[in-house]
Amino acid sequence: MSVYVDGFVLSVPRKNLPAYIKMSKSAGKVWKEHGAIDYVEAVGDDLTPEGCAITFPKLAKPKPKETIVFSFITYKSRKHRDQVLKKVMKDKRITCGPDNMPFDPKRMTYGGFKSIVHL
C-alpha cells in the first residue's frame, strides 16, 4: 500500500509546548474527520549527533529555549491529500493564523512526499 505524506519540521518555544499540543490535538481531529489516515506530532528526544548528518537543530535552527517538533499526516494519495486539505481549510475550527500560533510559522519547513517504501 502506498501513501502520501505531508511532513513538517518546526521549532516551538518550550513554554508554548502545552499550547502547541492543544492546538495540534484540535487540528488532528479535524484532519482525521476530513479523511486523513494518520496525524502525528512528535517532539525531539534523541536527535542526530553532530557529525553524522545534517542535524535537526541545524535544519530547524531552534533558539535556546525552543524544542524541535516533527509532524506528519498521511493520506491515500496526493489527490486524496488535496481533497482533505481543501475541506480542512474551509473548516471553521481551524482558526490559527500566523499571528496567533504558538510558534513562528515562517521558520517551519514542510512538504508533500510520495511514499516509495511503506511496510
Side-chain angles (χ1 to χ4, degrees):
M1 175 179 130
S2 182
V3 297
Y4 194 82
V5 179
D6 278 342
F8 307 82
V9 176
L10 54 136
S11 296
V12 177
R14 284 185 190 90
K15 68 179 184 173
N16 293 352
L17 201 52
Y20 182 83
I21 291 167
K22 182 179 179 183
M23 178 194 75
S24 297
K25 285 181 177 180
S26 296
K29 287 177 185 176
V30 172
W31 254 267
K32 296 279 291 190
E33 284 177 22
H34 289 299
I37 296 170
D38 204 9
Y39 184 100
V40 177
E41 299 275 358
V43 67
D45 179 55
D46 184 19
L47 304 175
T48 308
E50 194 69 38
C52 290
I54 295 175
T55 65
F56 269 100
K58 279 189 181 176
L59 176 71
K61 296 180 175 64
K63 293 178 182 174
K65 293 184 178 183
E66 292 180 331
T67 189
I68 298 169
V69 171
F70 170 70
S71 308
F72 63 93
I73 307 168
T74 58
Y75 309 89
K76 297 174 189 174
S77 64
R78 180 171 179 179
K79 181 179 176 183
H80 179 237
R81 185 279 303 261
D82 292 346
Q83 292 167 343
V84 170
L85 197 54
K86 188 175 181 180
K87 292 175 189 174
V88 166
M89 291 299 113
K90 289 181 181 178
D91 195 303
K92 296 192 185 328
R93 294 173 290 176
I94 301 297
T95 59
C96 285
D99 296 332
N100 62 354
M101 289 192 165
F103 65 97
D104 181 358
K106 292 178 183 168
R107 294 175 48 229
M108 172 177 68
T109 187
Y110 62 93
F113 298 84
K114 194 181 326 180
S115 67
I116 55 175
V117 176
H118 184 211
L119 305 174

